[in-house]
Amino acid sequence: MTTSASVPARPEGAIIDGATSPVTDRLVEANERYAAAFTDPGMDARPVLRVAVVACMDARLDLHAALGLELGDCHTIRNAGGVVTDDVIRSLTISQRKLGTRSIVLIHHTGCGLEAITEDFRTELEMEVGQRPAWAVEAFRDVDQDVRQSMQRVRTSPFLVHADDVRGFVFDVKTGLLREVDPA
């Protein structure tokens, strides 16, 4: 498993923040190399394990490696903080009702950037751009409590038909281990 302490060496031609071209150009070039060796795996959009994972967008979380997942195993929904917002409910609803998922795993992590900001961020944006965002920042101080809140949002959503197998975790970015959060 890759952790922040043991990042593997990048293969030749891997994307790095470099000086020769903008990062998007490097991403497109990497895709061309990927596509040259690509073969259609013959899957559809239904995840094999019938699970949806909601997690933070933090670049230190390699979810597939950390959870032992392969391509096609799960739906992965990521946002700042891994919090359950209306858009996450939207994605989970489609995942369950149209694509067959039954289980939901919520993953927050230690050292999250949302612990370092407040809802005042919206006011700061309004002052800068002249328009207040309609969305909430969803900042938090207690990661376990935020996982509990996210579990509760999933369990009480009228749109989700499978809310009995919902579990929440905190990923430790220093050790790579998951710690389950008691929903109580």
Side-chain angles (χ1 to χ4, degrees):
M1 174 186 327
T2 302
T3 67
S4 58
S6 63
V7 177
R10 294 183 186 270
E12 186 175 322
I15 300 166
I16 56 173
D17 188 19
T20 59
S21 68
V23 70
T24 303
D25 290 343
R26 297 185 84 161
L27 296 172
V28 171
E29 291 167 9
N31 174 257
E32 290 169 358
R33 289 188 297 276
Y34 171 80
F38 182 79
T39 55
D40 180 359
M43 301 175 189
D44 68 12
R46 295 175 182 274
V48 173
L49 298 179
R50 297 170 56 149
V51 63
V53 178
V54 179
C56 185
M57 67 185 189
D58 192 295
R60 297 171 290 181
L61 277 65
D62 182 350
L63 292 175
H64 276 74
L67 301 175
L69 296 168
E70 300 292 330
L71 181 67
D73 281 348
C74 73
H75 283 158
T76 306
I77 304 161
R78 295 180 80 158
N79 67 16
V83 296
V84 175
T85 61
D86 285 346
D87 194 58
V88 168
I89 293 292
R90 170 189 157 273
S91 293
L92 288 172
T93 301
I94 293 167
S95 177
Q96 285 190 352
R97 291 179 175 263
K98 296 298 181 184
L99 297 167
T101 60
R102 296 294 179 261
S103 301
I104 298 173
V105 174
L106 306 172
I107 301 177
H108 285 36
H109 65 91
T110 58
C112 185
L114 283 185
E115 293 175 288
I117 64 175
T118 68
E119 293 298 321
D120 291 339
F121 181 64
R122 295 173 68 215
T123 303
E124 294 167 15
L125 283 172
E126 181 178 18
M127 298 297 286
E128 181 181 330
V129 302
Q131 181 177 345
R132 186 170 185 84
W135 40 263
V137 176
E138 298 280 352
F140 54 87
R141 294 285 175 253
D142 181 337
V143 67
D144 286 45
Q145 183 55 37
D146 204 65
V147 171
R148 283 185 201 96
Q149 176 177 293
S150 289
M151 284 191 282
Q152 184 65 16
R153 286 178 178 174
V154 168
R155 288 187 173 129
T156 60
S157 173
F159 305 111
L160 299 173
V161 291
H162 302 286
D164 53 325
D165 188 10
V166 178
R167 293 174 64 187
F169 300 86
V170 175
F171 177 87
D172 187 315
V173 298
K174 300 289 187 205
T175 67
L177 289 172
L178 288 176
R179 176 178 52 77
E180 189 156 9
V181 175
D182 183 354

